[in-house]
Amino acid sequence: MKAEITLTVTMLIISIPAVLNQLIMILVMYAKGFVGYAILVRPILMDFRVNTVSCYFYWTHPYYKKKTTNMHHSINAWSPSN
């Protein structure tokens, strides 16, 4: 269940900058004076998307959670000299 939620949010994080990227390009078609800004903003949005998704996935996916182990287990071994 937790992994499924993580993957859903990951997909949303991927989608938001991609949609913003497309909206910027549509707006630039109508406002040609902002082409230079779009050229600057698009790569930043794509880099932001990749870094955000990677960090979110690492911090929230159950596979990467630190597992605690109890190191105070006693080990019983059989010895031939017994």
Side-chain angles (χ1 to χ4, degrees):
M1 177 76 174
K2 211 168 195 187
E4 192 172 314
I5 291 171
T6 298
L7 291 174
T8 302
V9 174
T10 301
M11 288 306 298
L12 289 173
I13 292 172
I14 289 171
S15 299
I16 291 170
V19 170
L20 286 175
N21 185 17
Q22 297 304 318
L23 288 174
I24 288 171
M25 293 317 299
I26 290 170
L27 292 174
V28 164
M29 289 183 353
Y30 296 108
K32 304 224 187 283
F34 294 104
V35 171
Y37 295 114
I39 291 172
L40 290 174
V41 170
R42 288 183 69 215
I44 293 170
L45 283 176
M46 293 298 107
D47 287 345
F48 179 75
R49 177 179 72 173
V50 170
N51 294 326
T52 305
V53 168
S54 300
C55 291
Y56 175 79
F57 194 77
Y58 177 75
W59 287 328
T60 59
H61 197 278
Y63 182 78
Y64 298 107
K65 296 291 181 187
K66 184 176 182 180
K67 293 177 178 51
T68 58
T69 58
N70 191 356
M71 299 301 284
H72 300 289
H73 293 288
S74 62
I75 299 173
N76 296 325
W78 179 80
S79 173
S81 63
N82 288 344

